[in-house]
Amino acid sequence: MIYELRVYKCVPGRLPALLNRFANTTLKIWEKHGIKQAGFWTTVVGESSQERYYLLAWESLADREKKWNAFVVDPEWLAKRAETEKDGAIVANVSNQLLAPTAFSSVK
């Protein structure tokens, strides 16, 4: 199992729109593609309150490539994304890292 840490830095004031899009749209489309989330977080204390962090769980790099590539071209996703950004961009920057658990990690 590998995990993907994704960090979304929102356009100022647009974090609620991003959270709404995930809660009401993105997760349903991920389910269709078999994408498994391992948790979502926002910053309580830290550098920025306009960031959202989440982890995805993948069986392998090949699993990630197949499912993520299908998701990003899904017509429903593209339409919903455009609809949620009609008032302007939500996300200013996205970064991601692929992580492997250590032998002593509580998750495998």
Side-chain angles (χ1 to χ4, degrees):
M1 183 75 60
I2 61 170
Y3 294 87
E4 183 171 1
L5 171 62
R6 296 182 64 87
V7 180
Y8 285 51
K9 294 181 182 181
C10 290
V11 172
R14 299 288 280 158
L15 181 61
L18 179 66
L19 297 176
N20 183 56
R21 182 166 73 189
F22 268 84
N24 297 306
T25 301
T26 308
L27 292 177
K28 292 173 190 168
I29 299 171
W30 280 0
E31 187 175 323
K32 176 171 73 171
H33 291 284
I35 296 173
K36 299 175 192 167
Q37 60 99 349
F40 290 90
W41 297 267
T42 56
T43 303
V44 176
V45 176
E47 291 182 26
S48 173
S49 62
Q50 293 299 307
E51 294 178 345
R52 207 275 325 267
Y53 300 79
Y54 68 95
L55 286 174
L56 297 174
W58 305 105
E59 294 299 324
S60 65
L61 290 173
D63 179 52
R64 181 200 182 272
E65 182 175 352
K66 177 184 172 190
K67 292 175 181 176
W68 192 257
N69 288 345
F71 163 68
V72 298
V73 298
D74 184 295
E76 181 184 8
W77 164 243
L78 294 172
K80 294 290 188 177
R81 180 179 175 184
E83 180 184 321
T84 60
E85 293 182 348
K86 68 184 181 300
D87 296 326
I90 293 174
V91 177
N93 183 48
V94 176
S95 64
N96 70 313
Q97 297 178 55
L98 296 175
L99 309 169
T102 61
F104 49 86
S105 177
S106 64
V107 295
K108 300 293 176 198

